[in-house]
Amino acid sequence: MSNINGKVYAMNAITPMKPWKTWILRGFFVLLGHIKPLQQDLINLSFIEFARWVVLPRKQFPFLGNGQSEEELKYDYLLFFSNFNGTWNQYIDAFSAVLSKGLNLVWRWSEKFPGSVPVTSFKEYIARVQFDTDYYYTAYPHAAANDLKSAHIVQASFDKLAASAQNYTPEQFEDAYLRFVLEVQTHLGETGEAPIVF
């Protein structure tokens, strides 16, 4: 599937909105951008590498000229882009369970949005409005977001050990090394292909 690159899945969804609803959603996005606690649930879902909603007004829809006829669109469009680790089902389940209120505030303005709960109708809706990703770049396709966070923790602890090691006696180094291993043991993971889930 073109949406998967190593452990990373890219998702794009495009939903139509009546133009008068666009202004309400834009107002919500301004609030969301300025009131940081409203973002916390999304930030806490650590398997999400990136998530962004963009409103594309019908009058600003790309027009390339050169023989392309200009369209008279009735709807504005809400574009959603995300990269995450895990399966599509896990992602939608987590979104529905953890972010249902926020998702309803964002997508309720889109046509025929059924709500994020129950999850079955939400999944059917997302499947209808999702488009395959033909190409996307992932700096570390075989490492999940949590793998990268853990790598930073291990590197910082190792740098601290290396900086003090030259001043230690062998016995002190043994103690410091043991503390280092205990500190980083839960952050030693394995990169590679994501497990296949059917």
Side-chain angles (χ1 to χ4, degrees):
M1 179 182 247
S2 61
N3 292 25
I4 298 171
N5 185 11
K7 288 185 175 181
V8 184
Y9 187 108
M11 183 173 129
N12 302 308
I14 302 173
T15 55
M17 296 184 300
K18 288 192 168 79
W20 67 268
K21 295 179 178 181
T22 299
W23 297 105
I24 299 169
L25 182 57
R26 284 180 187 272
F28 175 69
F29 283 152
V30 168
L31 285 175
L32 188 61
H34 287 88
I35 303 173
K36 298 300 180 191
L38 293 176
Q39 303 170 13
Q40 202 54 51
D41 285 340
L42 183 61
I43 291 167
N44 288 341
L45 292 175
S46 61
F47 62 89
I48 297 175
E49 296 184 1
F50 173 81
R52 182 173 184 193
W53 283 271
V54 176
V55 175
L56 182 60
R58 70 194 186 289
K59 294 190 179 184
Q60 294 177 15
F61 213 80
F63 173 65
L64 306 174
N66 300 331
Q68 177 187 1
S69 47
E70 203 161 352
E71 298 176 88
E72 195 64 40
L73 299 172
K74 295 180 184 176
Y75 295 102
D76 291 344
Y77 289 88
L78 176 63
L79 284 64
F80 174 66
F81 309 100
S82 185
N83 292 347
F84 56 90
N85 306 123
T87 67
W88 184 87
N89 277 313
Q90 290 169 332
Y91 183 68
I92 304 300
D93 287 343
F95 252 37
S96 178
V98 178
L99 300 172
S100 61
K101 289 178 185 170
L103 292 177
N104 289 340
L105 285 171
V106 171
W107 265 313
R108 73 178 302 157
W109 311 107
S110 293
E111 294 297 296
K112 299 185 179 179
F113 177 65
S116 58
V117 177
V119 73
T120 303
S121 55
F122 181 49
K123 283 181 178 180
E124 289 169 357
Y125 179 77
I126 294 298
R128 279 196 311 273
V129 299
Q130 181 179 346
F131 289 84
D132 283 343
T133 305
D134 292 329
Y135 176 82
Y136 70 102
Y137 173 76
T138 306
Y140 304 102
H142 298 295
N146 288 333
D147 294 336
L148 298 178
K149 289 175 190 171
S150 289
H152 285 289
I153 292 168
V154 171
Q155 187 65 55
S157 295
F158 181 76
D159 290 345
K160 191 169 99 179
L161 175 67
S164 351
Q166 61 188 353
N167 302 323
Y168 289 152
T169 65
E171 293 78 20
Q172 290 171 324
F173 179 77
E174 182 181 8
D175 289 341
Y177 181 74
L178 180 58
R179 281 193 308 275
F180 162 74
V181 170
L182 292 173
E183 187 177 312
V184 302
Q185 67 183 351
T186 58
H187 299 287
L188 299 174
E190 183 177 333
T191 59
E193 293 293 331
I196 297 172
V197 179
F198 296 101

